[in-house]
Amino acid sequence: MTDRQNVGKLYGVGVGPGDPSLVTVRAAELIGKADVIAYHCARHGRSHARAIAERYLTGGQIEERLMYPVTVETTDHPGGYRGALDDFYREASERLAAHLDAGRDVVVLAEGDPLFYGSYQHMHKRLAHRYPAEVVPGVTSISAAAARLGTPLVEAEEVLTVIPGTLPEEELAARLAATDSAVVMKLGRTFPAVRRALERTGRLAEARYVERATMDGERTGWLADVDPDGVPYFSLAVLPSRVAALDSAGRPFAAPDDRAQETSAQEDRASDDRAQETSAQEDRASDDRVQEASAQEAPGPAGEVVVVGTGPAGPLWLTPEARGALANATDLVGYTTYLDRVPVRAGQVRHGSDNKVEGVRAEFALDLARRGRRVAVVSSGDPGVFAMATAVLEAACEDPYRDVPVRVLPGMTAAHAAASRAGAPLGHDYAVVSLSDRLKPWEVIARRLRAAAEADLVLALYNPGSKSRTTQVASARDLLLEYRGPDTPVVMARDVGGPTERVRTVALAELDPAEVDMRTLLLVGSTQTRWVRRGGEREVVWTPRRYPEQ
């Protein structure tokens, strides 16, 4: 039995990205004093980690070469690739354990940092609970790549995402779209898929390439210019900070110019004035603002307008695609309440306005895009459901905006969010109707409600009431009671996903218009919708998928 008082100590030592002079003082000390130096390598027998640490070796140490049985090739191991590696890690850890039991200190060399995609971690998990262990951090390849590019990775509140290039292409695209900055590691044979993912997310133009950072043969450049046939494993794709770099005079390269800032300030002042005026005055002020902004800058190279659905509430409801579009925009345009849900980013200009000027807002966004700006029009829920996508496309189909690129990115709808809170009331056919009579007469709304009720559809009712519209809910309730029983469940969902969320179910006959406002969405069940209390849980509402035969 081993004397636990006289066992050796295990060290996981990071030797940095390649340049031996980047080995830390602590790492150099331990390498020089160790009884055993261990390192991983492929079947060719060469170890990058040992090559980096070579100048710190004494020549009299025991060396343990831990050779992987497979790397990227296939194996006939009965457990497959994972089984072959598990057997290798177990055997390698027992070889090191024999030295530790004999009282020898063991240093396991690791390129970069030992616990950052490092082979050492597999030894650590198998041995650290049995022997004294210490991990010595090292300079990562990410830090080395950023230093070689001379470009900040992240600044202020930006988010850095580290992504293995071995992920499926769809997953790569989703993660690239959702982040500010990114580093994609383990390129080599994965490079074509990584490049396609960058292109699909519109981020190829900003992607940088770093090969063998701080090593012999180092190469940097724009990723779009790289020949995929010559990309080694030791290379990275880097999406650096989007916060503007500074020129020699300390001015932002990509920051909005004085005219854009002046326009934004004028908009803010006009918006404040509009809030105190009538809707007609708001429209005129907005028209003046757009004309003034257009006069200040003549149309230049076309930018783009992306209409982004942010879901019913905050960041948790954003899709990765929407998150990426918001981060990539130079300008954000939208109703001020919705803009406030989007994190502030340095260099972006925010153009907030009232919620009654959708058409003017759309034209303003398109004018910005004509001047080369990347514009995100922010819309709650899904932008194509009673929201900004229609306003933007309506304007974009007219001169002078026909050539401005426009994309619409979907979002979680308020109806679906509310339904998820209640159970599954939309499990069968349903209709979506807005009760607002600002853009259509009440007679049309009533006719559509009657048709949906006669068809026995579940109803999702948007915009049910406001300070200026107080009769629609009662009128809709009374109309629906002609076709529905008084006990028909009605889900009242207010501010779903927000800080004042409240979701409850009432009988149709007991629906009180005084409890409904513009932030409330109503889901009215069909004759088949069930309203059930499950044990100690709250009530759930669901509509069967199967409809009975007549």
Side-chain angles (χ1 to χ4, degrees), residues 1-10 35-36 93-106 126-127 130-132:
M1 182 174 180
T2 303
D3 182 357
R4 308 309 295 176
Q5 298 298 317
N6 296 314
V7 297
K9 186 172 182 178
L10 175 68
D35 301 307
V36 179
S93 63
E94 289 310 311
R95 286 168 58 187
L96 301 186
H99 290 294
L100 295 167
D101 288 338
R104 303 185 190 105
D105 290 342
V106 177
R126 290 164 172 80
L127 297 173
R130 297 164 54 187
Y131 302 95

Side-chain angles (χ1 to χ4, degrees), residues 121-250:
Q121 61 192 326
H122 300 289
M123 303 297 99
H124 190 84
K125 289 187 291 185
R126 290 164 172 80
L127 297 173
H129 63 289
R130 297 164 54 187
Y131 302 95
E134 178 184 337
V135 177
V136 179
V139 177
T140 67
S141 58
I142 291 177
S143 298
R148 287 311 199 208
L149 290 173
T151 303
L153 273 177
V154 279
E155 185 175 333
E157 284 76 39
E158 287 184 308
V159 174
L160 170 66
T161 301
V162 180
I163 309 170
T166 50
L167 290 178
E169 187 175 327
E170 290 288 334
E171 185 67 19
L172 285 169
R175 295 185 183 255
L176 289 168
T179 192
D180 299 310
S181 302
V183 174
V184 185
M185 305 184 65
K186 307 179 182 181
L187 293 186
R189 60 190 175 87
T190 71
F191 181 83
V194 172
R195 191 187 191 285
R196 288 193 299 270
L198 286 163
E199 192 165 18
R200 288 176 57 187
T201 53
R203 308 201 65 178
L204 181 60
E206 62 186 288
R208 307 291 291 275
Y209 174 80
V210 182
E211 177 182 315
R212 296 187 171 92
T214 79
M215 305 180 195
D216 292 339
E218 175 187 300
R219 184 163 64 112
T220 63
W222 295 102
L223 188 137
D225 299 332
V226 174
D227 180 0
D229 293 333
V231 175
Y233 180 83
F234 287 99
S235 55
L236 304 174
V238 180
L239 292 175
S241 170
R242 280 171 157 162
V243 177
L246 301 180
D247 63 18
S248 58

Side-chain angles (χ1 to χ4, degrees), residues 231-278:
V231 175
Y233 180 83
F234 287 99
S235 55
L236 304 174
V238 180
L239 292 175
S241 170
R242 280 171 157 162
V243 177
L246 301 180
D247 63 18
S248 58
R251 296 170 303 199
F253 279 123
D257 60 23
D258 293 338
R259 288 172 297 180
Q261 293 175 6
E262 179 182 350
T263 301
S264 180
Q266 290 168 342
E267 289 162 5
D268 291 341
R269 291 193 297 271
S271 182
D272 289 340
D273 292 341
R274 282 198 315 276
Q276 302 172 15
E277 298 172 355
T278 64

Side-chain angles (χ1 to χ4, degrees), residues 19-94:
D19 185 346
S21 65
L22 295 177
V23 173
T24 66
V25 173
R26 177 62 173 161
E29 290 175 349
L30 291 174
I31 293 170
K33 294 192 302 183
D35 301 307
V36 179
I37 299 293
Y39 47 86
H40 293 79
C41 67
R43 294 171 69 178
H44 51 57
R46 299 183 299 276
S47 166
H48 288 281
R50 189 195 181 284
I52 297 168
E54 186 169 11
R55 69 168 64 171
Y56 304 105
L57 301 176
T58 64
Q61 296 155 310
I62 301 171
E63 294 193 21
E64 284 285 359
R65 187 170 64 179
L66 309 176
M67 184 180 294
Y68 279 103
V70 291
T71 49
V72 297
E73 61 271 23
T74 58
T75 177
D76 57 2
H77 190 284
Y81 184 83
R82 177 51 54 190
L85 288 183
D86 286 342
D87 283 352
F88 163 69
Y89 292 137
R90 183 176 61 255
E91 294 165 2
S93 63
E94 289 310 311

Side-chain angles (χ1 to χ4, degrees), residues 314-521:
L316 290 177
W317 300 85
L318 274 177
T319 66
E321 186 179 29
R323 191 183 301 273
L326 292 173
N328 191 49
T330 59
D331 297 74
L332 302 180
V333 174
Y335 174 35
T336 302
T337 298
Y338 300 153
L339 283 184
D340 289 343
R341 297 176 181 173
V342 181
V344 175
R345 288 182 171 85
Q348 280 185 336
V349 184
R350 302 163 78 91
H351 310 271
S353 57
D354 188 82
N355 68 340
K356 298 178 181 178
V357 290
E358 291 92 345
V360 173
R361 187 185 303 140
E363 290 185 4
F364 179 69
L366 291 161
D367 274 320
L368 287 173
R370 290 178 69 218
R371 301 198 298 274
R373 311 291 288 178
R374 297 189 304 275
V375 185
V377 175
V378 177
S379 182
S380 70
D382 183 281
V385 180
F386 304 125
M388 280 300 300
T390 297
V392 171
L393 290 172
E394 183 177 357
C397 289
E398 301 293 335
D399 293 329
Y401 307 119
R402 292 179 183 271
D403 294 329
V404 177
V406 176
R407 289 187 293 138
V408 179
L409 302 186
M412 170 71 72
T413 69
H416 294 157
S420 71
R421 293 294 202 249
L426 304 182
H428 198 71
D429 298 344
Y430 66 94
V432 179
V433 178
S434 170
L435 295 189
S436 173
D437 57 359
R438 282 187 60 238
L439 302 175
K440 60 180 181 289
W442 175 254
E443 291 74 16
V444 172
I445 298 172
R447 187 165 65 248
R448 292 172 179 176
L449 289 175
R450 194 176 300 278
E454 288 178 343
D456 200 17
L457 299 174
V458 176
L459 278 161
L461 302 180
Y462 279 68
N463 308 315
S466 67
K467 292 180 180 179
S468 62
R469 295 187 296 104
T470 58
T471 62
Q472 282 83 354
V473 173
S475 298
R477 176 199 61 200
D478 295 343
L479 185 155
L480 293 174
L481 281 170
E482 298 175 21
Y483 301 89
R484 299 281 197 278
D487 294 331
T488 299
V490 178
V491 177
M492 302 176 63
R494 186 183 189 281
D495 191 28
V496 172
T500 62
E501 175 180 316
R502 187 186 185 201
V503 180
R504 62 194 186 97
T505 305
V506 301
L508 177 59
E510 298 173 2
L511 177 60
D512 184 359
E515 298 181 358
V516 178
D517 61 14
M518 275 294 289
R519 302 185 70 182
T520 304
L521 184 132

